[in-house]
Amino acid sequence: MIEIGKDLTRLRQMRNKADYEDTIFNLQQEARTALMLAQQIISALNKLTQ
């Protein structure tokens, strides 16, 4: 469950960066990483409910 929290924190940091930074380097990689984190979070949450 700690990993879920860490992933959520990282995802939020990425979101804040996207919202407030004027320039984002490696945007495609950032987007891929955000999607991967979101998938990991959803998967981990689904495992908790089983």
Side-chain angles (χ1 to χ4, degrees):
M1 196 133 116
I2 292 171
E3 290 301 316
I4 296 171
K6 287 180 182 179
D7 286 345
L8 283 168
T9 298
R10 187 165 174 212
L11 197 57
R12 182 168 186 251
Q13 289 169 343
M14 293 175 79
R15 169 68 191 273
N16 286 342
K17 182 178 176 181
D19 285 347
Y20 298 110
E21 299 270 331
D22 290 332
T23 304
I24 299 176
F25 298 100
N26 298 316
L27 180 59
Q28 289 181 337
Q29 182 59 40
E30 290 279 322
R32 279 193 282 272
T33 300
L35 289 171
M36 179 195 66
L37 285 171
Q39 289 171 337
Q40 288 175 353
I41 292 165
I42 291 168
S43 177
L45 289 173
N46 282 332
K47 288 178 185 176
L48 288 175
T49 62
Q50 294 177 356

